[in-house]
């Protein structure tokens, strides 16, 4: 998505060049005032002192970042040692998001490939089938997952009825449930960009490889995969980034013990116990991770574009 | 070349595709089936009934859900309409405005809401409204939704506009149409499929949003997702499944509309 908007196309038609600034004005005002400015204010907040009833005191400090990374003992005067509490939450989130991305790729790539190689008349129907879940409310999809995975839910009932298990498997409120939730939430995000790449792939290249005695799997690995790499990377970004900051799956499926970044941040803004500067600092760490990732991604895409 | 090997198909891919669709649809189907359950409990099956649909409209929680639905739909309609208008103007400046310095930064600004993780945008918006002293409520939700819907409305509109050659409006202007007339009478109607797709996408994105709404809504104002979330937090109840199934139906209707619009080519 990001790459799609960033390119803007190369056609330099200039019919409305004279009024272009007027046409851009509303988007500049709304996005500048309600997206760009808020992100800037959040940066400032992450360097302020927390007030005990939630909120801030305008007194610049590095306390929020210090709390994130370092442990200075009970009274705050000990030697700083690395504080693992929050780093490990970030690490767990990265790991969960990475695994969800990998699983989505494992299922999503063959699906996208299969759909893209269908005859033109049925292809649209397949894409349509994958698109529907993409448009269904994420909260409802997560709630459905919760319903399905419960101890006395349909999944356990089914497994017990076929005789695979005797007692219900406890899945809800575990890391596994969060993982299934993330995978389920963002799987369509993987399929659609890969599908778009495979659809543009020129299959005469596969034929050429076959003529040169490459096996089908070698062709897939050495010819098809490199050609559709931009779509694969786009799909991975579209799954990884929202998984990393996910709130609904860890909150509804993971319970209190399986905290992820999203829950940690949300906690800081709930009620009076919150710590706004700390929440802003944690958001900044997350934002930085995502921005670095997107930077690498856009460089990759540009290189791929230059090579093509 | 009649016995040519099929280089396109791979064994197992068909199975994985069917598995993928099964994974995507199974939870939704299960919830749909259970929404018609006559039983009080969500575990036991007690025959088919519409009692939970009735419960949504006249039951003890109906007032709450009705107000939430009114908030959700009014916000989605206003936010998506405003965002679509802003996005249409911006797309015209980007695709038909020639090359200029502000073009790349403008594109960056427009794609900002989809590049920043949603939870970060939620935090930023809450902090911002708080620091300028806006009271949280209906208006803050509406403003936040309008802003983050812009890129979703923008993408289909830009894609559509790039597919329309500028010869159409040039032809109109050769026949002494003003630029405004060329836009209103030629370009705008041609862009219509993109504009409708953009609106639908923005509408569904607004209707679906939970995280940002949850941060900026303030006490007392609920939208459907926040009301459903609050209810689920207290335990899964059958009436939630009935609401979910109705929203599911709405999403399917919207995708179907958008599917047919994408096939509509009015440049010929």
């Amino acid at each position: 998505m990001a790459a799609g908007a960033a390119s803007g196309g190369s056609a330099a038609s200039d019919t409305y060049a004279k009024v272009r600034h007027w046409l851009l004005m509303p988007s500049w005002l709304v996005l500048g005032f309600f997206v760009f400015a808020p992100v800037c204010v959040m940066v400032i907040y992450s360097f302020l002192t927390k007030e005990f009833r939630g909120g801030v005191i305008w007194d610049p400090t590095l306390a929020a970042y210090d709390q994130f990374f370092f442990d200075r003992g009970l009274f705050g005067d000990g030697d700083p040692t690395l504080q693992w509490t929050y780093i490990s939450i970030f690490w767990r989130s990265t790991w969960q998001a990475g695994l969800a991305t990998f699983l989505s790729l494992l299922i999503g790539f063959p699906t996208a490939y299969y759909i893209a190689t269908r005859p033109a008349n049925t292809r649209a129907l397949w894409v349509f089938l994958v698109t529907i879940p993409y448009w269904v409310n994420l909260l409802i999809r997560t709630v459905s997952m919760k319903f399905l995975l419960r101890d006395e839910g349909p999944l356990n009932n089914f497994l017990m009825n076929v005789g695979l298990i005797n007692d219900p498997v406890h899945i809800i409120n575990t890391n596994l449930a969060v993982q299934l939730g993330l995978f389920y939430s963002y799987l369509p995000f993987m399929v659609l960009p890969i599908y778009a790449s495979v659809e543009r792939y020129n299959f005469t290249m596969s034929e050429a490889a076959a003529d040169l005695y490459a096996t089908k799997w070698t062709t897939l690995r050495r010819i098809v995969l490199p050609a559709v790499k931009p779509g694969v990377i786009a799909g991975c970004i579209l799954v990884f980034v929202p998984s990393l900051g996910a709130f609904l799956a860890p909150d509804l499926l993971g319970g209190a013990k399986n905290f992820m970044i999203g829950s940690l941040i949300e906690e800081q803004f709930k009620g009076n116990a919150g710590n706004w500067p700390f929440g802003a600092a944690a958001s900044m760490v997350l934002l930085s991770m995502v921005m670095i990732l997107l930077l690498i991604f856009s460089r990759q895409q540009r290189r791929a574009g230059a090579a093509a | 070349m009649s016995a040519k090997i099929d280089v396109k198909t791979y064994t197992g891919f068909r199975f994985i595709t069917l598995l993928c669709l099964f994974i995507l649809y199974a939870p939704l189907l299960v919830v749909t089936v259970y929404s018609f359950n006559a039983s009080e409990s969500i575990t036991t099956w007690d025959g088919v009934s519409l009692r939970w649909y009735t419960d949504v409209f006249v039951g003890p929680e109906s007032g709450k859900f009705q107000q939430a639905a009114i908030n959700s739909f009014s916000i989605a309609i206003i936010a998506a309409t405003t965002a679509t208008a802003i996005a249409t103007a911006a797309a015209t400046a980007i695709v038909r405005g020639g090359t200029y310095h502000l073009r790349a930064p403008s594109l960056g600004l427009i794609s900002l809401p989809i590049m920043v993780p949603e939870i970060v945008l939620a935090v930023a918006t809450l902090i911002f409204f708080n620091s300028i002293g806006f009271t949280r409520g209906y208006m803050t939700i509406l403003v936040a939704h309008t802003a983050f819907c812009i890129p979703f409305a923008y993408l289909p509109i830009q894609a559509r506009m790039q597919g329309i050659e500028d010869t159409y409006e040039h032809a109109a202007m050769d026949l002494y149409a003003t630029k405004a007339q060329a836009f209103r009478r030629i370009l705008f109607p041609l862009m219509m499929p993109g504009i409708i797709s953009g609106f639908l996408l923005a509408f569904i994105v607004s209707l679906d949003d939970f995280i940002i709404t949850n941060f900026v809504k303030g006490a007392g104002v609920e939208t459907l997702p926040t009301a459903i979330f609050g209810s689920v937090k207290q335990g899964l109840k059958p009436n939630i499944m009935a609401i979910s199934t109705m929203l599911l139906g709405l999403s399917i209707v919207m995708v179907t509309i958008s599917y047919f619009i994408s096939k509509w080519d009015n440049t010929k």
Side-chain angles (χ1 to χ4, degrees), chain A residues 79-140:
Chain A
D79 287 332
T81 50
L82 265 186
Q83 160 72 277
W84 289 106
T85 318
Y86 306 118
I87 298 175
S88 69
I89 289 173
F90 270 67
W91 172 241
R92 178 162 61 230
S93 304
T94 311
W95 200 86
Q96 285 275 36
L99 187 60
T101 310
F102 176 74
L103 289 178
S104 304
L105 185 61
L106 220 55
I107 299 281
F109 182 85
T111 304
Y113 184 94
Y114 182 78
I115 293 176
T117 51
R118 290 307 86 207
N121 53 338
T122 53
R123 204 184 300 158
L125 182 70
W126 286 100
V127 176
F128 182 63
L129 284 175
V130 178
T131 320
I132 288 177
Y134 184 86
W135 284 59
V136 173
N137 195 316
L138 185 61
L139 174 64
I140 288 176

Side-chain angles (χ1 to χ4, degrees), chain A residues 40-106:
Chain A
C40 296
V41 175
M42 183 186 76
V43 177
I44 300 172
Y45 260 54
S46 73
F47 292 104
L48 295 179
T49 308
K50 88 163 196 186
E51 196 195 23
F52 283 99
R53 281 166 288 113
V56 286
I57 301 165
W58 285 82
D59 187 10
T61 167
L62 280 171
Y65 291 95
D66 191 81
Q67 183 190 346
F68 189 91
F69 289 109
F70 299 110
D71 181 7
R72 289 177 191 275
L74 198 54
F75 303 105
D77 53 1
D79 287 332
T81 50
L82 265 186
Q83 160 72 277
W84 289 106
T85 318
Y86 306 118
I87 298 175
S88 69
I89 289 173
F90 270 67
W91 172 241
R92 178 162 61 230
S93 304
T94 311
W95 200 86
Q96 285 275 36
L99 187 60
T101 310
F102 176 74
L103 289 178
S104 304
L105 185 61
L106 220 55

Side-chain angles (χ1 to χ4, degrees), chain A residues 5 8-9 13-16 20 23 28 34 111 113-114 124 129 137 139 147 150 152 184 216 251 265, chain B residues 6 8-10 14 17 23-25 42 96-98 103 106-107 162 166 169 179 183 225 229 233 241:
Chain A
S13 177
D14 57 2
T15 321
Y16 295 99
R20 64 194 176 203
L23 291 170
W28 272 87
F34 295 109
T111 304
Y113 184 94
Y114 182 78
L129 284 175
N137 195 316
L139 174 64
F147 178 74
R150 282 172 311 134
E152 59 282 350
Y184 177 62
K216 281 174 101 170
D251 192 81
I265 293 174
Chain B
D6 181 9
K8 276 191 180 183
T9 45
Y10 286 85
R14 184 191 171 82
T17 305
I23 295 170
L24 288 175
Y25 283 94
I42 52 166
R96 292 290 202 263
R103 195 166 177 267
S106 301
L107 273 169
Q162 278 167 343
D166 59 3
E169 67 263 17
K179 282 186 177 179
F183 182 83
F229 182 82
K233 274 296 199 181
M241 279 171 226

Side-chain angles (χ1 to χ4, degrees), chain A residues 59-292:
Chain A
D59 187 10
T61 167
L62 280 171
Y65 291 95
D66 191 81
Q67 183 190 346
F68 189 91
F69 289 109
F70 299 110
D71 181 7
R72 289 177 191 275
L74 198 54
F75 303 105
D77 53 1
D79 287 332
T81 50
L82 265 186
Q83 160 72 277
W84 289 106
T85 318
Y86 306 118
I87 298 175
S88 69
I89 289 173
F90 270 67
W91 172 241
R92 178 162 61 230
S93 304
T94 311
W95 200 86
Q96 285 275 36
L99 187 60
T101 310
F102 176 74
L103 289 178
S104 304
L105 185 61
L106 220 55
I107 299 281
F109 182 85
T111 304
Y113 184 94
Y114 182 78
I115 293 176
T117 51
R118 290 307 86 207
N121 53 338
T122 53
R123 204 184 300 158
L125 182 70
W126 286 100
V127 176
F128 182 63
L129 284 175
V130 178
T131 320
I132 288 177
Y134 184 86
W135 284 59
V136 173
N137 195 316
L138 185 61
L139 174 64
I140 288 176
R141 299 180 62 214
T142 314
V143 170
S144 316
M145 204 62 177
K146 190 181 171 76
F147 178 74
L148 190 69
L149 296 179
R150 282 172 311 134
D151 286 0
E152 59 282 350
L155 182 67
N156 270 314
N157 278 339
F158 172 76
L159 291 177
M160 284 195 289
N161 280 336
V162 271
L164 270 172
I165 49 169
N166 290 320
D167 297 306
V169 193
H170 184 67
I171 306 174
I172 208 81
N173 293 350
T174 63
N175 277 323
L176 175 66
V178 178
Q179 179 54 234
L180 289 173
L182 292 176
F183 163 71
Y184 177 62
S185 298
Y186 303 115
L187 177 59
F189 289 42
M190 181 65 88
V191 178
L192 296 173
I194 298 180
Y195 162 77
S197 287
V198 179
E199 205 197 16
R200 280 195 301 266
Y201 172 70
N202 183 355
F203 278 96
T204 51
M205 297 211 289
S206 291
E207 279 161 25
D211 288 345
L212 298 168
Y213 304 105
T215 64
K216 281 174 101 170
W217 293 101
T218 313
T219 309
L220 185 69
R221 209 176 64 241
R222 306 273 298 263
I223 311 291
V224 181
L225 258 181
V228 301
K229 202 170 137 199
V232 172
I233 297 176
C236 289
I237 293 270
L238 287 179
V239 174
F240 186 79
V241 170
S243 300
L244 193 63
F247 170 74
L248 285 173
D251 192 81
L252 289 174
L253 301 168
K257 274 186 296 182
N258 303 289
F259 245 49
M260 279 178 59
I261 302 176
S263 338
L264 174 72
I265 293 174
E266 202 253 2
E267 191 105 303
Q268 308 307 321
F269 295 92
K270 225 168 45 184
N272 285 345
N275 181 340
W276 287 35
F278 182 70
S283 303
M284 282 300 298
V285 178
L286 173 62
L287 184 60
S288 316
M289 286 165 73
V290 170
M291 284 301 147
I292 291 169

